[in-house]
Amino acid sequence: MRYSLIFHAPSPGVDGPAPTEEDIQEMMRLMDDFGQALTSAGVFVAWEMLAPHTETKTVTRRTGEVVIEDGPFAAAKEALAGVVVIDVPDIEAALAWAEKFPGTSYGTIEVRPAATSFVDGTWTRPGQSS
């Protein structure tokens, strides 16, 4: 079953003080160790760390016309900072990985199961045989 570990955190230097270069290097090392552990365990699917929310654009066609604006819409203390997709047997395994995510020292991980996944050109649902 696929789960997304959705990382929310303050944007460094935007929503609070900028980390030192030493802090950045240490967090990069911890994130790399976490990624290597996911890979070694055979549960890694994908990982994207995102640019600061100040670089976000939003696109909508709700009015029938395409509208592109600066975003995001929601103002919050923590912004979407990254997403890690893992494939594990159950929610307990997903939570166990979330507990090990280094960014929880300054942010929050939301653990959300996939409802459907587009893999190798096909939509699948949890429990559906390929």
Side-chain angles (χ1 to χ4, degrees):
M1 170 113 189
R2 286 182 180 221
Y3 287 86
S4 289
L5 307 181
I6 305 165
F7 181 44
H8 299 268
S11 294
V14 176
D15 297 324
T20 66
E21 184 59 31
E22 187 176 274
D23 292 338
I24 292 170
Q25 291 302 317
E26 176 62 11
M27 186 52 65
M28 287 175 65
R29 185 189 65 73
L30 293 170
M31 293 287 194
D32 185 63
D33 289 349
F34 183 71
Q36 295 300 329
L38 291 170
T39 301
S40 293
V43 301
F44 178 79
V45 175
W47 187 344
E48 297 290 342
M49 292 301 290
L50 305 175
H53 64 83
T54 54
E55 296 183 37
T56 300
K57 300 288 184 191
T58 60
V59 180
T60 186
R61 193 175 33 230
R62 291 182 184 148
T63 63
E65 304 262 338
V66 173
V67 177
I68 301 173
E69 300 177 305
D70 290 339
F73 286 116
K77 283 186 169 187
E78 294 183 332
L80 178 59
V83 178
V84 179
V85 180
I86 58 176
D87 193 344
V88 294
D90 51 39
I91 187 67
E92 288 79 17
L95 290 169
W97 281 109
E99 289 174 11
K100 297 174 186 170
F101 189 82
T104 56
S105 63
Y106 63 92
T108 304
I109 290 286
E110 175 184 338
V111 179
R112 187 180 295 191
T116 59
S117 298
F118 191 76
V119 179
D120 298 327
T122 305
W123 284 101
T124 61
R125 292 189 173 160
Q128 179 183 35
S129 57
S130 321

